[in-house]
Amino acid sequence: MRDLLEGIEVDGRAPRLLFVHAHPDDETLATGVAIAHHAARGDEVHVLTCTLGEEGEVIPAHLAHLEGAPGDPLAEHRRAELRGAMEVLGVTHHLLGATGPGGAPAYRDSGMAGSAAAGHPRAWAAADLDEAASAVGAVLDAVHPDVVVTYDATGGYGHPDHVRTHEATCRAVARRGGTTPVYAVLTPRSWAVEDRAWLAAHVPPDRGFVVPGEGDPFASSVVPDAVVTHAVVAPSVVAVQHRALYAHETQVVVGDGWYALSNHVVSRLAGREGFARLDVATGRPVTEGAT
């Protein structure tokens, strides 16, 4: 598979990458390997977060009072978690629509599909797409990335905020001529099968975590191997990814080579991430017809 920066030519500066994500922790969960790898190489890495994850489910008991509390105290707590993760990863961070380091974001977490939070006036998933694209476009204009990375059209697993992030990013790039390559995070099916076997062999069976079984469905971002054309394979940065995930204490439990969210389902931290370039006009991988 090819490198994300293959064919990118820059003149007298480091290559510049922009990772666009919906909530704090998404950047490290979905693209932590690529972010850490490119930052360690000396590339200029930027992360754009579209909301502060106000609807997140809090895992630690000592922080449970933050979940769903009036005034969204979880937002500021997750902002601090995000700041810690960005320091570990060594990248530049942007919060969509915020003015200044402590400014409020323009949009709010919409919650999972069907959540009442989708009716909030600032809900990201319900944002006018042209306005959302303009907000993302303002960051594109400020950063001038050589490569943009975000979700596929399903948002990786169907979360409405992830889908809106994908849509707004594709439209923002398309408005600028569509010449900047946009890549979606995708997992080759063979990797997903290997990861489940690894998890079954390595996750302690007595801690209450759930290892997906052979018959369980894969996330929508798991695709035929031929669709995935680019990859970052860098096991050496998994330790950095681990430390960044520890910063997201409210959302993630980190084990030895794996993590779990509030649903207790485990996923592997395998030191590899796959990608495919998107056609920004359609939002679909240019290799989608591959088998």
Side-chain angles (χ1 to χ4, degrees), residues 106-278:
Y107 300 98
R108 188 183 184 280
D109 185 352
S110 311
M112 299 295 286
S115 170
H120 191 282
R122 292 193 297 114
W124 176 229
D128 177 85
L129 183 54
D130 284 331
E131 292 178 4
S134 293
V136 174
V139 179
L140 292 174
D141 291 342
V143 173
H144 296 292
D146 301 300
V147 166
V148 176
V149 179
T150 191
Y151 313 105
D152 71 319
T154 73
Y157 64 98
H159 194 298
D161 283 341
H162 290 218
V163 173
R164 181 52 97 212
T165 301
H166 160 88
E167 293 169 341
T169 302
C170 286
R171 181 164 295 191
V173 172
R175 284 178 174 177
R176 285 153 181 77
T179 56
T180 303
V182 178
Y183 291 94
V185 187
L186 295 168
T187 302
R189 184 178 178 86
S190 64
W191 287 9
V193 172
E194 290 173 9
D195 289 348
R196 286 191 174 180
W198 186 94
L199 289 165
H202 290 83
V203 175
D206 57 350
R207 291 185 55 186
F209 294 108
V210 179
V211 176
E214 185 176 337
D216 292 330
F218 290 110
S220 56
S221 56
V222 175
V223 296
D225 286 22
V227 175
V228 181
T229 54
H230 294 67
V232 175
V233 180
S236 62
V237 305
V238 170
V240 177
Q241 186 184 24
H242 268 234
R243 293 200 302 274
L245 285 177
Y246 278 123
H248 292 293
E249 178 188 15
T250 61
Q251 305 299 302
V252 187
V253 175
V254 185
D256 186 7
W258 54 271
Y259 71 87
L261 304 181
S262 59
N263 61 5
H264 305 296
V265 177
V266 292
S267 298
R268 186 183 179 191
L269 295 169
R272 59 190 184 187
E273 291 160 357
F275 307 89
R277 185 167 179 174
L278 295 175

Side-chain angles (χ1 to χ4, degrees), residues 73-90:
L74 181 57
E76 287 309 306
H77 191 92
R78 294 193 71 180
R79 187 201 293 263
E81 291 182 337
L82 181 60
R83 187 180 304 117
M86 296 300 96
E87 290 174 357
V88 170
L89 294 170

Side-chain angles (χ1 to χ4, degrees), residues 50-85:
C50 297
T51 80
L52 284 173
E54 293 87 348
E55 293 296 310
E57 297 178 342
V58 176
I59 296 173
H62 70 281
L63 295 173
H65 63 281
L66 297 173
E67 185 175 329
D72 283 340
L74 181 57
E76 287 309 306
H77 191 92
R78 294 193 71 180
R79 187 201 293 263
E81 291 182 337
L82 181 60
R83 187 180 304 117

